[in-house]
Amino acid sequence: MEYHTERLILRQWKQSDREPFAALNANPEVMRHFPKTRTREESDGMAKAIEQLIAQNGWGFWAVEEKSSGVFIGFVGLNIPGYELPFSPVIEIGWRLDNAFWGKGYAPEAARKALEVGFEQFGMKEIVAFTALDNVPSQRVMEKIGMQRGEEFDHPLLEEGHPLRRHVVYRIANLK
């Protein structure tokens, strides 16, 4: 399945996405709000797991392709976190785009489509997003797509004192 916006295609992953995805995950600027960059092996493993979840569920973190160029620019989509959060169980929306594509409105454009698919096609009742407190750009995307700021919490996978430990959750409900 593919989902189209005006400028983007959200789709299942291709083998050709692996190299640009690894470059994105190794980019310190892209990964500055994450605990660490990823190796090629870690990145390939993540892509394979995402592909399998999309095949299994019909949804997940879709590869995002720019229509005008056909270039892989990152991922946007839906996921069930693989660890316990203070507000579990949840379905999250998330994104990671190559910084060459920041500032073009691609993240909110693709995220709106992901919300639409989650709510209308899969009947999800609520979708959350969460990020480190200092990740203001992602929080702006969350607000642009209609999410409401919720509570702050300590991320369970980050140790006490880690600069990214404090997070904030945003929520949006399916009103249909």
Side-chain angles (χ1 to χ4, degrees):
M1 280 187 198
E2 288 185 349
Y3 302 101
H4 292 254
T5 70
E6 181 183 340
R7 302 176 295 165
L8 305 170
I9 300 169
L10 283 67
R11 59 166 171 74
Q12 178 60 287
W13 292 64
K14 300 175 184 174
Q15 189 64 35
S16 61
D17 298 331
R18 298 287 174 93
E19 188 172 326
F21 185 54
L24 180 151
N25 286 330
N27 182 329
E29 179 68 11
V30 171
M31 299 298 287
R32 75 180 186 271
H33 298 291
F34 292 89
K36 65 181 185 89
T37 58
R38 304 246 178 217
T39 66
R40 175 65 192 253
E41 294 74 26
E42 290 170 327
S43 186
D44 285 351
M46 183 179 178
K48 183 176 181 174
I50 290 170
E51 284 177 52
Q52 291 171 340
L53 287 170
I54 292 171
Q56 174 185 324
N57 298 330
W59 53 268
F61 285 146
W62 293 288
V64 178
E65 180 179 312
E66 185 181 48
K67 280 183 179 179
S68 64
S69 66
V71 171
F72 169 88
I73 67 168
F75 72 76
V76 175
L78 307 167
N79 183 54
I80 298 173
Y83 45 86
E84 191 71 21
L85 291 158
F87 41 87
S88 289
V90 293
I91 296 171
E92 68 168 317
I93 187 168
W95 44 83
R96 186 176 307 161
L97 301 181
D98 188 299
N99 58 342
F101 299 94
W102 293 356
K104 298 176 184 244
Y106 286 166
E109 182 177 328
R112 283 186 198 99
K113 178 55 79 172
L115 289 175
E116 176 187 311
V117 170
F119 288 147
E120 294 179 13
Q121 187 171 333
F122 292 98
M124 296 170 183
K125 301 298 180 209
E126 180 185 62
I127 297 173
V128 305
F130 52 92
T131 191
L133 280 183
D134 68 347
N135 190 350
V136 175
S138 272
Q139 291 176 48
R140 278 198 303 263
V141 172
M142 293 167 194
E143 291 165 3
K144 284 179 183 178
I145 64 174
M147 300 187 93
Q148 300 299 310
R149 186 182 176 108
E151 68 272 17
E152 294 181 13
F153 67 99
D154 290 330
H155 197 290
L157 300 183
L158 298 174
E159 68 277 355
E160 187 75 40
H162 192 288
L164 298 174
R165 186 165 193 220
R166 199 73 182 151
H167 272 55
V168 61
V169 64
Y170 280 71
R171 301 172 184 279
I172 190 166
N174 186 349
L175 300 177
K176 292 183 181 181

